[in-house]
Amino acid sequence: MKLQPVRGTRDIYGDEARLFREIDQHFAKTASLFDFQEIETPIFEFTSVFQRTLGEGSDIVNKEMYTFEDRSGDSLTLRPEGTASVARAVISNSMLRDLPLKLFYSGPMFRHERPQKGRYRQFTQFGIELIGVPTPVADIEVLACAWMFFKNCQLSDKVQLELNTIGDADSRDQYRSRLVSHFEKFSKDLSEDSQVRLKSNPLRILDSKDPKDQALIADAPLFSDSLNPASQQFFDQVVEGLNQLNIPFQLNSKLVRGLDYYCHTVFEFTTTHLGSQNAVLSGGRYNDLIESMGGPSTPGVGWAAGTDRLALLLEKPRTHHQNVAVIAAVAEAEPLLLPLVSELRDNNIASQLIYSGNMSKQLKKANKRNCSHAILIGEDEIQSGQYQLKHFADGSQISVSKQELLRKLKEL
Ligand code: ATP
Ligand code: MG
């Protein structure tokens, strides 16, 4: 029997692990530039944290949550996303007295979906939440942060920002009833899922990828016609801010996002490079979430991005890394290896031992392990204190004193 990980989960190692770390570092650096502070919430919560807040009509709550009863009989859920957990955390820790709160997080999320490339049952998200600012400047700031992240990873030419507004509650009520009367005329032609959505969450029909729904969606009324003046003005200011900052975007009037807690600005960065898993970062404004969880009425806006998909997008050859192999040419030199490699590391020079094999085998291994240099210690070196420094890229080899050796390697 071959031991396999659970369907939809996988081990992350090698290049993928390297890309994950790279992405996380770019993200932490970008978030810090905007003065977001890190928060780490547990990977499971009481089920109620997600159930009511994400919405009973949402795909996540209906069919994707990993919910189980623990040994104390409590219903717990592996977190399917980060925003509800962060909202719970800022209430639990009484963090809302000092606003605005600017938080960032990164970690594994869990959804029971059909696994495919870029879609897993355990995946990694990172995200930011800007809590306590009711004005459009916050929406602009979180979008600017996303855009800067993509620029820092050199991905800005592979993604496209799609933007929409779903207005305030009044505008949404108006739109919902216009939408229902539109779709009711064709309810028999809708997909089965969308017939259910028509009752539970009609806005979600716009999200449907079912070909049966597509034609009916194309003729659906536009949200912009239901926006009241206050909502329209809010959105105009977001658009103006993006233009001012030269952040390119496309208006997408069909973008609604799947969760109940959103209002006003909703957005998604998409890519054409990943097939149907085309969303890499998404988010929006959530003015009622914290209050609905029992906290004081506090607005928020934020986004989450998928590390797994970004790693696929970023896929690029490993950059040659500076690493020095320390090799004994004769048995007598072996006692010198550990002290030398330790001195190199004390000097911040990445270095390694090869552990086994004669000199020529060790050189081959060092090359295969992508080392940039090798230091050879032989009979002469023991007597004269000189070391052979080999540069794999051009095959050159020079004889240097310890001091020169450290100087040369530090310069690299
Ligand atoms: P999709 O429409 O692809 O299902 P979503 O709207 O459910 O995405 P969000 O809940 O907004 O996604 O999550 C934010 C980001 O997390 C997505 O843009 C995507 O990059 C990533 N993501 C979501 N679900 C998965 C998954 N099952 N596997 C890998 N990444 C995911
Ligand atoms: Mg989804």
Side-chain angles (χ1 to χ4, degrees):
M1 192 187 89
K2 207 170 155 207
L3 267 185
Q4 295 288 354
V6 173
R7 184 166 143 80
T9 72
R10 70 206 198 286
D11 304 300
I12 293 164
Y13 56 93
D15 278 349
E16 194 177 19
R18 182 175 54 80
L19 288 169
F20 265 55
R21 184 172 290 270
E22 222 171 88
I23 290 166
D24 230 30
Q25 284 170 346
H26 279 305
F27 169 59
K29 204 175 123 207
T30 312
S32 302
L33 261 180
F34 284 74
D35 196 36
F36 285 87
Q37 312 288 321
E38 185 155 22
I39 183 166
E40 202 174 317
T41 65
I43 62 167
F44 53 89
E45 298 272 354
F46 290 117
T47 300
S48 55
V49 168
F50 306 111
Q51 192 135 32
R52 272 175 310 119
T53 50
L54 307 194
E56 306 278 356
S58 69
D59 280 355
I60 293 185
V61 171
N62 279 350
K63 42 190 184 193
E64 296 175 359
M65 294 208 306
Y66 278 94
T67 297
F68 60 97
E69 193 177 291
D70 79 352
R71 286 166 192 272
S72 327
D74 289 318
S75 177
L76 306 182
T77 294
L78 299 184
R79 62 181 183 193
E81 58 106 56
T83 303
S85 302
V86 170
R88 196 274 305 143
V90 300
I91 299 170
S92 310
N93 296 292
S94 311
M95 293 161 76
L96 291 163
R97 272 173 266 173
D98 203 4
L99 297 174
L101 276 172
K102 300 171 78 172
L103 300 169
F104 78 87
Y105 63 86
S106 167
M109 306 292 163
F110 306 84
R111 296 183 195 174
H112 195 276
E113 311 199 56
R114 197 167 66 75
Q116 49 203 293
K117 192 177 177 195
R119 188 177 297 283
Y120 311 100
R121 291 182 176 176
Q122 175 174 337
F123 58 100
T124 301
Q125 275 186 349
F126 58 88
I128 61 172
E129 313 293 353
L130 174 37
I131 295 169
V133 183
T135 49
V137 67
D139 309 53
I140 299 163
E141 282 257 276
V142 299
L143 282 164
C145 183
W147 185 240
M148 175 159 280
F149 165 78
F150 286 121
K151 281 200 296 191
N152 286 344
C153 315
Q154 283 158 352
L155 282 177
S156 53
D157 56 346
K158 284 192 175 169
V159 297
Q160 161 81 52
L161 168 56
E162 297 184 36
L163 185 72
N164 193 24
T165 175
I166 53 172
D168 60 11
D170 277 349
S171 309
R172 254 185 337 278
D173 285 345
Q174 266 235 8
Y175 183 61
R176 198 174 293 117
S177 49
R178 288 180 58 212
L179 206 58
V180 169
S181 34
H182 168 77
F183 284 122
E184 263 172 351
K185 285 183 274 181
F186 318 97
S187 69
K188 294 219 166 50
D189 303 325
L190 285 168
S191 70
E192 240 169 77
D193 273 351
S194 286
Q195 292 188 23
V196 176
R197 289 180 189 127
L198 189 54
K199 304 243 151 49
S200 63
N201 198 346
L203 259 66
R204 283 286 286 155
I205 298 175
L206 299 181
D207 243 1
S208 165
K209 296 189 173 83
D210 195 306
K212 282 180 85 177
D213 297 333
Q214 287 297 323
L216 303 174
I217 293 171
D219 295 336
L222 293 178
F223 211 129
S224 47
D225 297 331
S226 303
L227 279 183
N228 57 26
S231 300
Q232 182 67 54
Q233 195 193 4
F234 190 98
F235 190 56
D236 289 345
Q237 285 175 346
V238 175
V239 165
E240 200 181 302
L242 294 177
N243 285 332
Q244 198 183 16
L245 297 179
N246 289 316
I247 299 173
F249 63 90
Q250 219 163 41
L251 294 178
N252 176 355
S253 61
K254 300 280 162 23
L255 181 69
V256 289
R257 307 280 309 127
L259 306 175
D260 273 7
Y261 56 60
Y262 285 116
C263 62
H264 289 291
T265 322
V266 289
F267 52 86
E268 231 168 54
F269 281 85
T270 56
T271 178
T272 53
H273 295 76
L274 294 178
S276 55
Q277 274 56 257
N278 65 346
V280 290
L281 182 153
S282 24
R285 178 166 275 279
Y286 49 87
N287 286 350
D288 300 325
L289 172 63
I290 291 174
E291 190 176 18
S292 79
M293 293 176 90
S297 169
T298 314
V301 56
W303 50 254
T307 310
D308 309 68
R309 291 184 194 174
L310 287 168
L312 289 168
L313 206 55
L314 210 57
E315 226 169 308
K316 61 178 179 196
R318 188 195 184 101
T319 48
H320 197 71
H321 78 156
Q322 293 295 348
N323 199 298
V324 184
V326 181
I327 296 172
V330 292
E332 292 84 340
E334 276 170 15
L336 302 180
L337 296 181
L338 272 173
L340 180 58
V341 84
S342 141
E343 190 173 352
L344 292 173
R345 291 167 185 159
D346 282 343
N347 280 279
N348 216 16
I349 298 163
S351 44
Q352 61 182 296
L353 300 170
I354 303 296
Y355 304 120
S356 72
N358 60 24
M359 185 184 76
S360 81
K361 277 218 173 103
Q362 291 210 12
L363 273 172
K364 267 192 201 130
K365 266 196 198 168
N367 202 2
K368 216 170 129 194
R369 291 182 65 82
N370 252 328
C371 290
S372 54
H373 293 80
I375 298 169
L376 298 165
I377 318 176
E379 201 96 54
D380 293 349
E381 287 74 32
I382 299 173
Q383 310 211 326
S384 62
Q386 293 283 109
Y387 297 80
Q388 298 291 318
L389 178 63
K390 190 178 171 69
H391 191 191
F392 284 112
D394 59 12
S396 66
Q397 190 166 319
I398 51 170
S399 182
V400 285
S401 70
K402 166 83 72 59
Q403 246 181 345
E404 279 174 280
L405 182 69
L406 292 179
R407 192 179 50 76
K408 272 198 174 310
L409 290 174
K410 271 204 261 189
E411 261 171 21
L412 296 171

